[in-house]
Amino acid sequence: MLDQIKGLHHVTSMASDARQNNAFFTGTLGLRRVKKTVNFDAPDVYHLYYGDEVGTPGSVMTYFPFPNIGKGRHGVGEVGTTVYSVPEGTLAYWEKRFADGGVAGLSREETFGEKRLAFAGPDGDGFALVEEKSDRRAPWLKGSVPADEAIRGFHSVSLRLKDGGATEELLKFMGYEEVDASGNVKRLAVRNGNGADVVDIESLPGAGFANLGAGSVHHVAFAVENRAKQLEVRKALMDTGYQVTPVIDRDYFWAIYFRTPGGVLFEVATNEPGFDRDEDTAHLGEALKLPSQHQHLRPYLEQHLQKLEG
């Protein structure tokens, strides 16, 4: 069993409109946009990152907003719900905030003894807030949500799978342990993690497969401290038979990717070097930052990418 993985690093999804996406995450959710860059493989498309003050691993939601992309179809083989942690006793605040803001899909629920508020993102993305009294992570203090109610970071992701068995074994190999079960959902957690410690596996043998589009999660990334730890994880996965990409420099972290038995794309990302490598902390996410291979496109991109608030 591996011990290098310390919880979630980021979750990356697809969107249909950059302005709408930016407004929802910075306005409605009160997160900080910590980076405004472009998709490495499609530089005419933004890659937007939202998180806490510095984009701490375990707090960062990222988006590829493809104009005119079709809507995703939810099903098995995907991350069904991305769950944020909020302080105890704050769900009433968020429920009113969301209702006043016209947020769709609101419902109260309780799972594994935790009070949750489910809601949908602008493209039908599956989200929830969970009250977590033991979460000591600092929120973004200069956003639109008061500090006492603000999001602390991720709590968990929920994987929807036709058969969760093989992915459960993979997560256990990656250092997760089963900590609870309820109906068709198993909860796994990594000990001594970064706060974003939980993965739920929902087995839905009769459901149809998901189809990637706006509102779909593209991949979920797990955090390791540095490149040395990442290489250890890569070797262990390959020795177990997984087809893992070479290490890819994503400017703000190094990444490896592999497809899980249930169909979800996993990434293992380093905590280094971080989002302040090319911007000081006070101005994260303000300027358009481009990978070196796309710098020559700056005049075109600055003219053609949607202008964003903030």
Side-chain angles (χ1 to χ4, degrees):
M1 188 174 75
L2 303 178
D3 62 4
Q4 296 91 341
I5 291 169
K6 300 303 180 185
L8 300 177
H9 187 285
H10 65 269
V11 178
T12 294
S13 292
M14 318 283 280
S16 60
D17 184 86
R19 286 192 189 125
Q20 180 187 54
N21 184 260
N22 182 75
F24 183 79
F25 283 90
T26 62
T28 305
L29 294 188
L31 299 174
R32 185 182 195 184
R33 191 180 70 223
V34 295
K35 196 61 58 180
K36 181 171 65 171
T37 183
V38 296
N39 186 312
F40 272 57
D41 302 314
D44 57 340
V45 173
Y46 275 123
H47 193 177
L48 303 175
Y49 294 76
Y50 311 100
D52 63 10
E53 181 178 11
V54 296
T56 305
S59 78
V60 181
M61 191 79 202
T62 98
Y63 271 89
F64 301 132
F66 282 90
N68 305 314
I69 188 175
K71 190 174 180 65
R73 183 180 70 240
H74 294 307
V76 294
E78 68 171 351
V79 174
T81 310
T82 302
V83 185
Y84 283 108
S85 170
V86 294
E88 190 175 25
T90 63
L91 287 189
Y93 166 87
W94 282 102
E95 191 169 26
K96 183 178 187 306
R97 181 181 181 87
F98 288 160
D100 291 348
V103 174
L106 298 183
S107 66
R108 288 278 199 124
E109 51 196 46
E110 187 165 327
T111 59
F112 297 109
E114 299 166 335
K115 294 178 181 178
R116 293 164 57 111
L117 175 64
F119 63 100
D123 289 296
D125 328 42
F127 286 105
L129 302 178
V130 165
E131 291 188 351
E132 179 54 78
K133 63 182 178 182
S134 62
D135 194 337
R136 299 290 179 259
R137 291 176 291 174
W140 168 231
L141 297 175
K142 297 179 182 179
S144 57
V145 178
D148 288 346
E149 286 84 20
I151 287 170
R152 268 42 185 173
F154 291 132
H155 169 275
S156 59
V157 292
S158 177
L159 310 182
R160 288 199 200 105
L161 306 176
K162 192 167 283 288
D163 180 352
T167 301
E168 178 185 346
E169 290 307 309
L170 167 63
L171 284 165
K172 288 178 177 177
F173 178 72
M174 292 168 61
Y176 283 75
E177 304 171 26
E178 184 178 339
V179 294
D180 211 340
S182 177
N184 64 333
V185 180
K186 286 191 177 181
R187 169 156 291 186
L188 293 91
V190 63
R191 305 289 182 182
N192 303 312
N194 60 10
D197 305 331
V198 175
V199 176
D200 289 337
I201 296 178
E202 183 180 10
S203 295
L204 296 166
F209 286 98
N211 188 41
L212 190 67
S216 302
V217 171
H218 184 271
H219 62 268
V220 57
F222 296 84
V224 291
E225 182 180 353
N226 54 42
R227 296 182 72 185
K229 300 290 188 185
Q230 183 184 60
L231 289 174
E232 292 171 2
V233 172
R234 182 174 186 271
K235 182 179 186 303
L237 288 167
M238 293 183 70
D239 288 348
T240 309
Y242 284 94
Q243 301 297 310
V244 186
T245 68
V247 176
I248 301 171
D249 182 357
R250 294 302 193 195
D251 283 355
Y252 311 107
F253 46 87
W254 283 271
I256 56 175
Y257 303 86
F258 63 103
R259 187 70 62 178
T260 66
V264 181
L265 183 62
F266 276 10
E267 174 184 346
V268 178
T270 61
N271 292 348
E272 58 180 10
F275 294 100
D276 60 354
R277 68 173 294 271
D278 58 2
E279 291 179 295
D280 64 78
T281 300
H283 298 286
L284 288 179
E286 295 179 6
L288 177 65
K289 296 297 180 180
L290 298 177
S292 58
Q293 66 268 37
H294 297 319
Q295 286 289 353
H296 67 286
L297 297 174
R298 180 174 291 278
Y300 171 83
L301 294 174
E302 288 183 341
Q303 183 70 27
H304 286 85
L305 287 170
Q306 279 186 312
K307 302 296 185 247
L308 303 179
E309 295 292 329

